[in-house]
Amino acid sequence: MQNTLIDMYQDIIEHFWSVRSRNPMTCYEADLYLYLVRECSLRDWANPFELRSKKIECDLDIPRKTICSIRTKLEQKGLITFEEGEKRGKGAMYNIVYVTQGN
């Protein structure tokens, strides 16, 4: 099991660098993506996972409007998918997209 998680994490990071080399991104985009990967790992790699924008705002010191713009760019680059949350309800649902060898 441990080896499988390490392989998955390596695939995620390799996919990130591959996308970044073809399609440059801002430091905010990289920060948010790596933050989302960390949050996914803290949830035992539950994917998709729920996360409130308020937590991201507080942890990364990024305004909500910027978070919304960045996550759209990350989705367009093929790094994540997400579904909007509800105001004062459920948080957004995030899915970390990664490519495994042979995929």
Side-chain angles (χ1 to χ4, degrees):
M1 177 71 171
Q2 182 68 19
N3 218 18
T4 303
L5 290 176
I6 291 170
D7 292 341
M8 182 179 70
Y9 180 75
Q10 287 175 330
D11 288 342
I12 289 169
I13 296 304
E14 285 300 318
H15 182 61
F16 166 77
W17 285 109
S18 175
V19 168
R20 188 169 183 176
S21 70
R22 291 187 317 273
N23 195 350
M25 63 181 70
T26 67
C27 60
Y28 286 119
E29 291 172 74
D31 279 355
L32 180 57
Y33 178 72
L34 295 173
Y35 176 84
L36 293 172
V37 169
R38 178 177 176 268
E39 287 296 317
C40 184
S41 75
L42 291 174
R43 292 164 171 77
D44 292 325
W45 297 101
N47 201 24
F49 60 95
E50 181 181 351
L51 185 60
R52 294 185 174 281
S53 294
K54 188 66 175 172
K55 179 169 175 27
I56 299 170
E57 284 181 84
C58 293
D59 289 350
L60 296 182
D61 195 27
I62 299 174
R64 180 177 303 258
K65 185 176 180 181
T66 304
I67 292 167
C68 293
S69 171
I70 293 170
R71 70 184 181 190
T72 298
K73 290 176 184 175
L74 292 176
E75 185 172 55
Q76 290 168 346
K77 291 176 181 177
L79 291 168
I80 67 167
T81 60
F82 72 94
E83 292 179 23
E84 290 284 348
E86 302 168 5
K87 289 187 179 186
R88 294 180 170 62
K90 288 179 60 174
M93 293 298 292
Y94 291 93
N95 183 55
I96 304 297
V97 175
Y98 65 95
V99 179
T100 58
Q101 233 176 20
N103 248 350

